[in-house]
């Protein structure tokens, strides 16, 4: 607008001489504008052509890359997480390390994805590492989950049933790894639907109508053989060994898993799942053409404890935890069900416990919830061991006795100052001289045993009894003897609840009272939670007790997050890294002889939840609990210094963490992603 005003002012006030100059000026201005427009059109056209060429380079792979970055992989529970596709890079194996190299489609050889390189370069990528033998071929093949089938060879009906459920879960995981929608399994159908899903009980395929089969294989048959044991109930005598072999002929791959029990076969499926990976280059599953694994655990008890009293955790969160345990070959889920803070379990016989003790109506577990967790855990090779802590850690939920004419079921409930009468608020201990207390415990034991099934191990609690609390009420009594009497009475009630049979192993937490020698060492097993250098470790073994190690300085996963209250000690710093968990070998440090080693049933990592709720659960547990899995399954020798880890261990646990994330477990990151993409460089 300003240019036009200047032009008219020039034209109006100039004479004839200025007229010709004005015309020349106007012509030059028009020419300049035309040239600018032409240049703009040419530039726009060049940009358009370059853009088309760029997007077409590599046949649309860049678009697929962008879509994969932007599109989250959704799960059945509604959660989502991104699974990036690293199309910018290819990897090559050099000196047992995968080296990252820039990749330009069409200008170099076929791209090799990071996971394919990792699975074919260096040490066999299985976590925990097999204990006897593991061999894989250099050649791999591709397939889609639709061609995977199961054949069972077992005379045992219950084993067949559990194997089918375990295989259904295995297929579900494969579909998730391949990033396909989950297809409903027979376990989630009615009987009529299930029978039409397969016409052969021994041969079950995962293919659904309309799905395309692709890849290098025409069929993949998983043949599982369990001949010896028909037992599907957990015990420390379960044979968990297995052998796995794969062979490929004429585009057909046969996987054979041979085990002496369902439990060994289940571990074989977990190993098979880790021999399979998703390649984002062809969007198919890959596995080895040939492989052999022979495996058995070093320790019988490989546990993980979760406290659901300080914070409530949903059944789905507990299932997710158990799913990770199965992959890591941890086999005992110790469910610390109740404590002084809350009593979330709704008892069939005494619902008042939850009515008075639960945080809210929605933060409770029913008997059906417990059964659901138990059934889910069994198909993952995990036993559920519930614990009603007693006589201490029993406050809220036990205060209704007088109203029901049952007297004081517990004492010191919410007593102040709390630091005099318990380790953390609120206080409360069961009344050891009230027979109603023992009757309630007996009924609770009955309910839990009915929900979990036969077992040779039961946890009675027994920790951190405050004698000053009891002294207010029973000052004429031998208080240490009173604790012994309580535990023996609880054992007798458990026997009554278990149809007159006492489980072979009765677990109690270690304390200053467990070394009073009043508990028979032939029946009681002590879960040692104190420091790994404490004298009690030696004393308990010398006194003949079997032990389960849960040392606070190595296997307490809640430590290292600061104090949660302003007074008293409420933190156990420092943070226990996965390296701390992995390198802890108390049986070696203590130089135990063969006799004492036999008394070590295994170990257990503990997650107390004063500072943990469902939002932090996954990353507090994983992959650190997986580090415990390898320590207790393989117990590999370690000649390195305390803070040094073998590079192959870093590489394998990094990939194990990726597998957990693929299954929807939000595991903690181990190091920058650059270190994962450049194995060995950051160590």
């Amino acid at each position: 607008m300003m240019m036009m005003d200047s032009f008219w002012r020039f034209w109006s006030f100039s004479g004839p001489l200025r007229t010709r100059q004005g015309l020349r000026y106007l012509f030059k201005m028009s020419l300049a504008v035309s040239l600018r427009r032409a240049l703009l059109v040419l530039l726009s056209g060049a940009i358009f052509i370059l853009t088309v060429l760029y997007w077409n380079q590599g046949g649309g792979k860049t678009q697929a890359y962008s879509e994969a970055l932007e599109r989250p992989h959704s799960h059945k529970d509604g959660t989502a997480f991104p699974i990036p596709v690293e199309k910018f890079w290819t990897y090559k194996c050099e000196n047992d390390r995968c080296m990252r190299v820039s990749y330009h489609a069409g200008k170099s050889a076929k791209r090799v994805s990071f996971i394919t390189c990792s699975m074919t370069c260096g040490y066999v990528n299985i976590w925990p590492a097999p204990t006897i033998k593991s061999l894989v071929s250099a050649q791999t093949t591709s397939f889609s989950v639709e061609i995977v089938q199961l054949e069972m060879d077992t005379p045992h009906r219950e084993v067949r049933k559990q194997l089918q459920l375990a295989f259904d879960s295995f297929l579900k995981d494969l579909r998730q790894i391949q990033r396909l929608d989950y297809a409903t399994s027979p376990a989630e159908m009615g009987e009529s639907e299930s029978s039409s899903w397969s016409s052969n009980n021994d041969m079950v395929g995962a293919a659904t109508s309309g799905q395309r089969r692709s890849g290098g294989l025409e069929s993949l048959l998983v043949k599982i053989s369990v001949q010896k044991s028909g037992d599907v109930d957990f015990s420390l005598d379960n044979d968990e060994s297995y052998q796995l072999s794969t062979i490929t002929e004429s585009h057909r791959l046969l996987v054979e898993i041979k085990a002496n029990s369902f439990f060994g076969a289940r571990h074989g499926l977990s190993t098979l799942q880790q021999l399979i990976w998703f390649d984002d280059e062809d969007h198919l599953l890959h596995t080895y053409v040939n492989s052999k694994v022979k495996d058995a655990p070093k320790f019988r008890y490989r546990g993980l404890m979760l406290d659901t009293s300080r914070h409530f955790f949903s059944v789905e969160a507990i299932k997710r935890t158990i799913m990770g345990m199965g992959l890591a070959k941890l086999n005992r889920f110790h469910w610390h069900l109740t404590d002084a803070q809350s009593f979330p379990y709704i008892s069939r016989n005494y619902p008042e416990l939850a009515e008075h003790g639960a945080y809210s109506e929605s933060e409770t577990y029913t008997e059906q919830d417990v059964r659901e967790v138990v059934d889910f855990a069994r198909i993952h090779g995990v036993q559920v061991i519930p614990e009603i802590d007693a006589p201490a850690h029993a406050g809220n939920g036990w205060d209704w006795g007088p109203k029901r004419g049952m007297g004081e079921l517990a004492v010191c409930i919410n007593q102040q100052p709390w630091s005099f009468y318990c380790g953390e608020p609120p206080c409360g201990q069961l009344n050891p001289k009230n027979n109603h207390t023992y009757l309630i415990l007996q009924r609770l034991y009955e309910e839990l045993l009915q929900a979990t099934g036969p077992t040779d191990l039961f946890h009675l609690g027994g920790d951190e009894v405050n004698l000053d609390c009891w002294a207010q009420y029973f000052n004429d009594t031998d208080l240490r003897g009173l604790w012994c009497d309580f535990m023996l009475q609880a054992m007798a009630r458990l026997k009554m609840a278990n149809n007159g049979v006492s489980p072979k192993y009765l677990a109690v937490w270690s304390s200053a009272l467990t070394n009073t020698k009043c508990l028979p060492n032939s029946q009681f097993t002590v879960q040692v939670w104190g420091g790994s250098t404490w004298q009690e470790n030696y004393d308990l073994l010398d006194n003949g007790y079997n032990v389960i190690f849960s040392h606070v300085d190595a296997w307490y996963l809640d430590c290292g997050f600061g104090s949660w209250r302003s007074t008293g000690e409420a933190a156990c710093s420092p943070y226990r890294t996965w390296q701390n968990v992995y390198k802890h070998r108390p049986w070696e440090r203590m130089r135990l002889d063969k006799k004492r080693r036999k008394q070590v049933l295994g170990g257990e990592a503990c997650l107390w939840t004063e500072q943990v709720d469902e939002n932090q659960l996954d990353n507090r547990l994983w992959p650190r609990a997986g580090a415990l899995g390898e320590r207790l399954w393989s117990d590999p020798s370690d000649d390195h210094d305390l803070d040094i880890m073998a590079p192959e261990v870093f590489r394998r646990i990094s990939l194990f963490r990726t597998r957990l994330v693929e299954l929807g477990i939000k595991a903690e990151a181990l190091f920058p992603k650059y270190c994962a993409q450049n194995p060995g460089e950051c160590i």
Side-chain angles (χ1 to χ4, degrees), residues 299-454:
F299 290 95
R300 296 179 286 169
Y301 189 105
R302 306 179 301 282
L304 176 62
M305 190 223 73
L306 177 64
D307 163 27
T308 61
S309 168
R310 271 86 180 186
H311 277 99
F312 179 84
F313 296 85
S314 68
V315 168
E316 287 305 314
I318 293 173
K319 285 182 177 181
R320 195 169 63 249
T321 298
I322 289 171
M323 180 173 60
M325 291 179 65
L327 197 63
K329 297 186 175 68
L330 293 166
N331 65 351
R332 301 288 188 270
F333 176 67
H334 177 180
W335 191 348
H336 189 82
L337 191 53
T338 68
D339 212 290
Q341 283 81 2
S342 76
F343 198 107
Y345 172 66
I346 301 177
S347 165
R348 180 189 346 124
N349 292 290
Y350 299 101
E352 296 93 339
L353 291 164
E355 289 172 5
H356 287 249
Y359 285 133
S360 68
E361 184 178 356
S362 61
E363 294 171 290
T364 55
Y365 304 104
T366 64
E367 268 192 275
Q368 182 55 39
D369 290 332
V370 176
R371 291 179 188 274
E372 184 179 339
V373 170
V374 168
D375 291 342
F376 182 87
R378 188 186 307 276
I379 66 174
H380 286 80
V382 177
Q383 180 186 17
V384 176
I385 301 172
E387 175 199 352
I388 304 291
D389 206 352
H393 294 275
N396 290 315
W398 294 88
D399 60 352
W400 48 271
K403 296 179 182 178
R404 287 279 304 272
M406 301 176 74
E408 295 291 348
L409 300 173
V411 295
C412 307
I413 297 177
N414 296 320
Q415 189 168 354
Q416 296 291 340
W418 61 263
S419 58
F420 289 7
Y421 304 106
C422 59
E424 63 183 52
C427 293
Q429 289 183 180
L430 295 183
N431 186 345
K433 293 194 174 183
N434 186 339
N435 284 331
H436 291 293
T437 299
Y438 297 111
L439 177 62
I440 292 173
L441 286 177
Q442 179 183 332
R443 295 288 183 254
L444 289 173
Y445 295 158
E446 285 177 358
E447 294 177 24
L448 294 175
L449 286 167
Q450 290 169 8
T452 60

Side-chain angles (χ1 to χ4, degrees), residues 456-507:
D456 65 343
L457 189 147
F458 196 90
H459 208 297
L460 293 172
D463 63 322
E464 295 187 319
V465 168
N466 187 294
L467 298 182
D468 290 334
C469 166
W470 277 351
Q472 299 174 99
Y473 303 88
F474 318 113
N475 55 10
D476 60 341
T477 305
D478 173 11
L479 297 177
R480 289 179 176 270
L482 190 59
W483 177 82
C484 294
D485 292 342
F486 183 96
M487 300 310 300
L488 293 174
Q489 182 73 272
M491 179 181 71
R493 294 292 181 150
L494 174 63
K495 182 177 179 179
M496 296 170 64
N498 198 38
N499 298 317
V501 179
S502 181
K504 184 177 180 180
Y505 302 94
L506 300 177

Side-chain angles (χ1 to χ4, degrees), residues 38 61 78 119 144 148 151 174 294 358 437 523 561 600 602 677:
K61 291 182 180 178
M119 295 299 292
S144 186
V148 182
E151 181 180 326
L174 287 190
K294 189 175 183 181
T437 299
Q523 291 177 284
F561 294 92
V600 180
Q677 290 181 328

